[in-house]
Amino acid sequence: VHYEPGFILKPVDTVGCGDTFFAGAIQRLVSGHSLVESTKFGNQLAAANAMLDGATSPIDEALFSSVGSYFRNSRERFYFQ
């Protein structure tokens, strides 16, 4: 079992975040990445989704790259209790 905590952010709209997480994690897993790398990527995409307005905002590699520096530099994490 692996637990990957989420990022601290001010969400705009959380609709679709679970779907986005699973899409990112599964994409990485089928591409041969480890479970840890895959869940981290899923969390990053879900956080990016939460920062956008609307349930149909596109999540693609360009979006991930544009917010990637935020995630690489973010040291603060939150943990669900």
Side-chain angles (χ1 to χ4, degrees), residues 5-9 70-71 73-79:
F7 292 90
I8 294 176
L9 52 87
Y70 170 81
F71 297 113
N73 296 326
S74 178
R75 302 251 187 262
E76 296 183 38
R77 308 289 282 234
F78 67 89
Y79 300 85

Side-chain angles (χ1 to χ4, degrees), residues 58-75:
I59 302 294
D60 57 15
E61 197 64 34
L63 173 65
F64 177 73
S65 296
S66 70
V67 295
S69 63
Y70 170 81
F71 297 113
R72 282 191 297 276
N73 296 326
S74 178
R75 302 251 187 262

Side-chain angles (χ1 to χ4, degrees), residues 2-7 20-21 24-26 28-29 33-48 64 71-72 74 77:
H2 172 72
Y3 173 75
E4 182 66 35
F7 292 90
T20 303
F21 168 81
I26 290 169
R28 287 294 200 226
L29 280 172
H33 291 83
S34 72
L35 180 62
V36 172
E37 293 170 323
S38 299
T39 55
K40 190 173 292 188
F41 184 75
N43 266 346
Q44 291 173 341
L45 287 181
F64 177 73
F71 297 113
R72 282 191 297 276
S74 178
R77 308 289 282 234

